[in-house]
Amino acid sequence: MHTILVINCGSSSIKFAVINSQDETTLISGLAERLGTPQAGLSYKLNAEKHSHTPKGTDHSAAMQAILDIIRAANLLDNLVAVGHRVVHGGEYFHDSQVLDEKSLERLKTLSHLAPLHNPVNIIGIEAAMQLLPDRPQVAVFDTAFHQSLPQKAFLYGLPMDYYREHAVRRYGFHGTSYRYVTQKAADILGKPLNQCCFLAAHLGNGCSAAAVLNGKSADSSMGMTPIEGLIMGTRCGDIDPGLHEYLCQRLNLSLPQLMSVLNKQSGLLGLSGVSNDMREIKSAAANGNQQAALALEVFAFRIARYLGSLAVSLPRIDALIFTGGIGENDADLRASVLQQLAILGFKTDAQLNQQGGDPQGRISAETSTLAMVVATNEELMIALDAARLIKE
Ligand code: ADP
């Protein structure tokens, strides 16, 4: 048995899983959270049972040590052949996942300015794992890498070219690991090689994005230089008029960092609904007559449909539209609303299939419709499969 330890290191949390890359089963998974506070804790699932554990310290390295202790105690350390790390930004340098050596880790460190909230903590996770497991290869899997195939016409902003040439200002796109996973699954379901498939896909979770995938390669993404561009998300605003930055800073007497915090943390579904960033809570408020929550749902769905419509121009045809992520996989009302607004592209919902989350292949569209399907994402598995692939090469 060959297993991979998958690490997703955030600013105050570390998600982890040990995955058998051969039969694709998850042997243990867990979450260390509230790191950096006295309430730091760790919970995990092993053999379908939930456990909790208190690390001997509150920082990331104490949490990594605790994760390793748990894996050792579960007798899962010996078969561990590599560690796969989720890394948010790979800039223009990383087009694929990468086994890290001194040179590539140094290169990765030079990209931190592109994702200052994410990459530095991803690197903390990598360095802690390197220290604790020095004889296991460490593999970085980037959210951006899949979108490195975007053509210039899709990734350039209408800004002075020097900003791109000298400061790497361009659209990068994110959620690439999820798109790689669900488009491969969809191609398998269609019985066609991925490199002959044209897909629209919407990853709708706390972060939301949409992408056009042409012959298995990303052709366009709704996300930009940073993950705030594009769709309305749980707390991020998505596209807004760039003129608003000056207007709001002046009008509300906010500094730019204060405004950015509002745009990242208090906007999106939370800001619009005034209820929550969590789709289930907004739906429940709307069902109980909260008009503002209902309006937030309408704006959210329209933005998705509008983006998918514009992403379609990158494709010669649509083999399928894929819904994924917590909302995409579970919210039948949202899917129906998006498909209804995309009638121009030939979409028609099968109400019953949509309600039940799709037929056994995930289809939610009517027989006569352009195909729309639900495909559950599994980014941890994709990271494990990448790590297994790369250490063999
Ligand atoms: P993350 O981006 O953190 O991985 P998820 O992909 O788990 O997040 O998605 C979280 C979102 O999915 C939340 O807004 C949550 O309310 C929503 N969600 C989960 N289950 C349902 C459901 N049954 N109906 C509607 N939304 C759901």
Side-chain angles (χ1 to χ4, degrees), residues 35-218:
L35 300 178
T37 76
Q39 290 80 38
L42 202 159
S43 57
Y44 61 97
K45 208 164 102 182
L46 175 66
N47 301 326
E49 270 180 42
K50 288 188 177 162
H51 305 263
S52 59
H53 178 98
T54 310
K56 293 193 192 88
T58 63
D59 62 0
H60 284 76
S61 55
M64 285 292 289
Q65 178 69 60
I67 291 168
L68 225 64
D69 291 345
I70 290 165
I71 293 171
R72 189 180 290 111
N75 283 328
L76 293 172
L77 199 55
D78 289 347
N79 291 320
L80 206 68
V81 292
V83 185
H85 297 268
R86 179 201 179 200
V87 179
V88 167
H89 219 304
E92 287 194 319
Y93 187 77
F94 295 102
H95 292 231
D96 189 6
S97 305
Q98 170 92 36
V99 180
L100 291 170
D101 56 16
E102 219 170 287
K103 189 168 153 242
S104 49
L105 182 60
E106 278 315 304
R107 170 65 69 162
L108 179 58
K109 286 181 179 171
T110 67
L111 302 176
S112 284
H113 66 284
L114 293 173
L117 298 179
H118 298 105
N119 270 34
V121 284
N122 299 155
I123 291 169
I124 287 175
I126 291 168
E127 291 190 321
M130 280 177 160
Q131 219 172 25
L132 292 166
L133 291 168
D135 54 343
R136 308 296 209 285
Q138 311 286 326
V139 179
V141 179
F142 302 92
D143 284 11
T144 51
F146 180 60
H147 300 295
Q148 276 300 297
S149 49
L150 254 62
Q152 285 194 318
K153 66 179 179 185
F155 76 62
L156 283 173
Y157 288 115
L159 289 169
M161 264 314 259
D162 283 354
Y163 290 10
Y164 167 56
R165 292 199 193 105
E166 287 167 30
H167 302 284
V169 172
R170 51 159 286 178
R171 308 178 67 253
Y172 288 92
F174 297 85
H175 289 141
T177 310
S178 174
Y179 288 123
R180 261 193 312 135
Y181 183 80
V182 297
T183 53
Q184 183 60 62
K185 281 271 164 212
D188 293 346
I189 290 168
L190 297 187
K192 274 172 54 167
L194 178 58
N195 65 10
Q196 289 171 26
C197 291
C198 295
F199 293 126
L200 288 176
H203 176 111
L204 309 172
N206 279 313
C208 298
S209 74
V213 180
L214 170 65
N215 298 330
K217 291 190 179 342
S218 180

Side-chain angles (χ1 to χ4, degrees), residues 205-207 277-280 325-327 330-331:
N206 279 313
N277 64 317
D278 189 289
M279 181 52 102
R280 285 163 294 196
I327 300 172
N330 295 301
D331 191 340

Side-chain angles (χ1 to χ4, degrees), residues 179 199-204 209-213 220-222 231 300-315 318 320-323 334-335 337-339 341-342 344-345 347 372:
Y179 288 123
F199 293 126
L200 288 176
H203 176 111
L204 309 172
S209 74
V213 180
D220 199 3
S221 158
S222 63
L231 304 182
F300 180 69
F302 176 66
R303 177 78 61 92
I304 296 166
R306 190 165 74 179
Y307 248 103
L308 287 168
S310 65
L311 288 163
V313 303
S314 291
L315 304 178
I318 301 165
L321 162 56
I322 303 164
F323 286 97
L334 179 274
R335 293 192 302 254
S337 168
V338 170
L339 291 182
Q341 296 178 80
L342 286 174
I344 185 79
L345 298 180
F347 287 105

Side-chain angles (χ1 to χ4, degrees), residues 5-25:
L5 169 60
V6 176
I7 296 286
N8 182 350
C9 198
S11 57
S12 63
S13 70
I14 304 178
K15 278 192 207 157
F16 69 95
V18 174
I19 295 178
N20 179 335
S21 57
Q22 288 153 328
D23 68 6
E24 303 188 359
T25 52

